[in-house]
């Protein structure tokens, strides 16, 4: 079980990659003294609630809020109505036997927009080579480190990026993009001008630039969820009820109180407020009058836990997040994250979402399970979605193979540097 205590820099509402913690252990009965464990894969910061082995090595068994090592599980666990989950050590995705690179071919350049600092994409794509013998050269930086001009002349597009890499700048002509950071976040972060430039330059991307642009505004994405519910029915694809207000003057009617008001494109718990009464809603509308933003209102659902269903290419995963600190926004307080079964219902949600906006290779569906046992879909996220902390290494490997597959589709045969469109020479 992992925890997080701050909002996500990537912006997906389920959070980015929370750091491991044993804070929740204080909520259970008196613990045994920690003991060292045998070598092997270790679940960092997690202690067995029976024998005290810390960290748990190998398979970690979770029963409600308690954790047990494999040895204690084999010895027998106490009776409980809670479902027992096995946290197996992550199995690395086998690296393919890459083709021997052809030194005569110019490498294809992959630009990964990810400034979080946790994932080293240069290392993840180490030695990657396309089947045609072209080596893949990887550059990684944040939106704030990118500057470029896009050209279209003589029926050809060209782009040359200048990237701030530490104390120096390097030049890059990206053949593929992987966008792991949100384009738009808390002011002043807004990289929509760069996103439009990459589209102007016709640079292929994971996810597609069209889908990234479509997810920039909540109502645009929510409208697709409405369409899917009408197509599949509210029982199969249950979407949370929502009101939309284009400006403050239209904030007259709401669902039954309490409600959750979401302002504009806010991410990671920002721009959200729980409103308990008509008076509070009126006060909020007067604050909204100070800007030109839209907002939405949804009924506040007393949640048992949040759900995230994740799809990376053909790979699925589902996990839940429960608040420990009592915050209703579980992605801004301390919470526990643990896997749940990938049901056919969840798989359908992910499959339908992945087909939106022309198709999304990386997609997540965020939902809530209420204390009454109902489930409602809240929103969808794209390639900037955060992964489950204990499985991030495996998921990054899935992303690597997905990106390489897309590059093979785009560039099935090698292209010499002379065949690539060149940027026009500047006039003196």
């Amino acid at each position: 079980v992992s925890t997080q205590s701050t909002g996500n820099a990537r912006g997906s509402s389920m959070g980015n990659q929370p750091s491991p913690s044993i804070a929740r252990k204080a909520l259970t009965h008196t613990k045994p003294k920690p003991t060292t464990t045998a070598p092997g894969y270790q679940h960092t910061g997690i202690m067995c609630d029976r024998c005290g082995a810390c960290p748990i090595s190998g398979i970690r068994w979770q029963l409600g809020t308690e954790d047990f090592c494999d040895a204690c599980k084999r010895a027998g666990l106490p009776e409980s109505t809670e479902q027992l989950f096995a946290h197996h050590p992550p199995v690395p995705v086998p690296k393919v036997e890459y083709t021997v690179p052809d030194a005569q071919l110019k490498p294809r350049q992959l630009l990964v927009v990810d400034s979080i600092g946790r994932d080293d994409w240069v290392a993840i794509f180490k030695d990657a080579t396309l089947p045609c013998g072209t080596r893949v050269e990887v550059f990684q930086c944040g939106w704030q480190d990118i500057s470029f001009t896009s050209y279209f002349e003589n029926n050809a597009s060209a782009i040359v990026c200048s990237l701030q890499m530490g104390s120096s700048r390097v030049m890059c002509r990206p053949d593929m993009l992987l966008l792991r950071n949100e384009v738009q976040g808390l002011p002043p972060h807004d990289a929509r001008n760069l996103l439009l430039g990459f589209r102007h330059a016709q640079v292929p991307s994971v996810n597609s630039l069209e889908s990234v642009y479509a997810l920039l505004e909540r109502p645009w994405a929510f409208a697709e969820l409405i369409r899917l519910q009408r197509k599949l029915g509210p029982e199969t694809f249950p979407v949370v009820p929502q009101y939309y207000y284009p400006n403050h003057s239209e904030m007259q009617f709401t669902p039954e109180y309490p409600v959750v008001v979401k302002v504009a494109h806010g991410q990671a718990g920002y721009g959200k407020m729980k409103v308990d009464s008509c008076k509070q809603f009126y006060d909020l509308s007067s604050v909204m009058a100070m800007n030109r933003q839209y907002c939405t209102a949804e009924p506040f659902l007393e949640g048992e836990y949040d759900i995230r269903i994740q799809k990376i290419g053909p790979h699925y995963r589902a996990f839940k997040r429960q608040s420990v600190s009592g915050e209703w926004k579980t992605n801004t307080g301390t919470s526990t994250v643990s896997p749940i079964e990938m049901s056919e219902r969840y798989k359908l949600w992910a499959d339908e979402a992945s087909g939106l906006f022309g198709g999304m290779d990386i997609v997540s569906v965020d939902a809530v399970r209420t204390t009454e046992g109902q489930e409602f879909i809240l929103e969808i996220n794209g390639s900037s979605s955060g992964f489950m902390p204990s499985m991030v290494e495996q998921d990054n490997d899935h992303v690597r193979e997905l990106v390489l597959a897309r590059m093979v589709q785009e560039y099935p045969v090698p292209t010499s540097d002379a065949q690539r469109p060149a940027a026009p020479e500047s006039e003196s």
Side-chain angles (χ1 to χ4, degrees):
V1 175
S2 302
T3 66
Q4 62 181 38
S5 58
T6 59
N8 167 28
R10 282 184 182 149
S12 59
S13 68
M14 199 69 177
N16 185 14
Q17 295 159 357
S19 57
S21 171
I22 58 172
R24 71 173 185 83
K25 295 295 183 182
L27 301 179
T28 55
H29 56 71
T30 304
K31 305 299 170 192
K33 293 182 179 180
T35 62
T36 57
T37 57
Y41 179 83
Q42 297 182 337
H43 299 268
T44 306
I46 305 299
M47 182 178 70
C48 177
D49 289 290
R50 172 170 292 177
C51 70
C54 184
I56 291 177
S57 181
I59 301 176
R60 164 188 155 216
W61 296 90
Q62 181 183 351
L63 186 64
T65 60
E66 296 189 302
D67 295 300
F68 301 93
C69 65
D70 196 45
C72 290
K73 190 267 181 184
R74 291 196 302 269
L77 297 179
E79 292 186 2
S80 174
T81 58
E82 297 281 355
Q83 186 174 357
L84 181 66
F85 287 103
H87 297 252
H88 292 273
V91 179
V93 177
K95 294 187 182 295
V96 299
E97 293 294 330
Y98 292 121
T99 305
V100 176
D102 187 339
Q104 301 300 314
L105 299 175
K106 286 287 185 179
R108 289 292 180 183
Q109 296 186 338
L110 168 66
L111 175 57
V112 182
V113 182
D114 187 354
S115 61
I116 300 301
R118 184 182 179 102
D119 299 321
D120 184 354
W121 292 99
V122 175
I124 292 170
F125 280 90
K126 182 182 178 182
D127 299 328
T129 308
L130 302 182
C132 61
T134 302
R135 185 170 59 87
V136 177
E137 185 177 12
V138 180
F139 299 84
Q140 179 179 350
C141 64
W143 287 109
Q144 71 279 4
D145 302 317
I146 303 172
S147 61
F148 64 83
T149 301
S150 170
Y151 308 92
F152 176 71
E153 280 188 332
N154 301 321
N155 200 35
S157 297
I159 184 172
V160 178
C161 297
S162 175
L163 310 178
Q164 186 69 45
M165 310 287 282
S167 59
S168 60
R169 297 196 74 88
V170 299
M171 306 305 292
C172 170
R173 294 170 59 185
D175 298 293
M176 179 67 68
L177 300 172
L178 171 59
L179 306 181
R180 290 291 290 147
N181 280 169
E182 287 289 345
V183 176
Q184 195 176 13
L186 292 178
H189 173 58
D190 187 347
R192 286 176 294 176
N193 58 329
L194 298 176
L195 181 69
L196 294 172
F198 283 130
R199 182 72 182 103
H200 180 275
Q202 304 287 295
V203 183
S205 174
V206 174
N207 285 342
S208 71
L209 298 180
E210 293 87 345
S211 68
V212 174
Y213 189 82
L215 290 176
L216 287 177
E217 301 292 351
R218 283 177 174 149
W220 199 266
F222 195 85
E224 289 300 293
L225 297 181
I226 295 174
R227 183 180 64 80
L228 288 178
Q229 178 171 287
R230 288 177 174 174
K231 167 188 167 185
L232 302 171
E235 295 297 323
T236 301
F237 200 83
V239 178
V240 66
Q242 186 181 90
Y243 287 32
Y244 172 82
Y245 312 101
N247 52 59
H248 77 283
S249 62
E250 302 299 331
M251 297 174 65
Q252 302 295 327
F253 304 98
T254 70
E256 184 177 349
Y257 294 101
V259 298
V260 175
V261 177
K262 301 178 180 179
V263 179
H265 64 272
Q267 302 286 346
Y270 293 104
K272 298 179 184 179
M273 178 178 178
K274 180 184 175 186
V275 178
D276 294 308
S277 67
C278 180
K279 182 180 183 304
Q280 288 182 355
F281 189 75
Y282 176 79
D283 289 342
L284 177 60
S285 69
S286 67
V287 174
M288 290 294 297
M290 302 301 294
N291 62 58
R292 301 170 105 30
Q293 296 286 4
Y294 62 83
C295 68
T296 60
E298 303 167 1
F300 174 76
L301 302 173
E302 193 69 44
E304 180 182 352
Y305 52 80
D306 291 348
I307 303 168
R308 166 158 287 185
I309 301 101
Q310 169 189 300
K311 184 175 187 286
I312 304 174
H315 305 283
Y316 299 84
R317 199 184 303 285
F319 48 97
K320 67 178 181 179
R321 183 177 58 197
Q322 291 178 287
S323 175
V324 172
S325 59
E327 293 283 345
W328 69 270
K329 291 188 284 189
T330 57
N331 60 332
T332 58
T334 303
S335 58
T336 64
V337 181
S338 56
I340 56 178
E341 180 185 358
M342 173 55 71
S343 65
E344 288 300 316
R345 174 184 173 90
Y346 292 164
K347 186 175 182 294
L348 173 67
W349 292 0
D351 287 339
E352 292 292 334
S354 68
L356 299 178
F357 310 118
M360 293 189 286
D361 295 311
I362 303 172
V363 67
S364 63
V365 179
D366 289 345
V368 61
R369 181 180 177 85
T370 70
T371 53
E372 297 177 349
Q374 295 178 298
E375 294 178 339
F376 292 94
I377 297 170
L378 303 177
E379 63 184 22
I380 54 175
N381 296 282
S383 59
S384 60
S385 301
F387 298 150
M388 185 175 176
S390 62
M391 297 295 177
V392 67
E393 183 178 349
Q394 187 180 45
D395 287 339
N396 284 343
D397 285 342
H398 290 322
V399 172
R400 180 194 70 229
E401 301 309 325
L402 172 64
V403 171
L404 292 177
R406 290 288 173 263
M407 295 186 76
V408 170
Q409 290 179 344
E410 291 289 336
Y411 310 108
V413 296
T415 303
S416 67
D417 195 51
Q419 291 176 286
R420 295 189 186 182
E425 297 181 2
S426 59
E427 298 180 0
S428 56

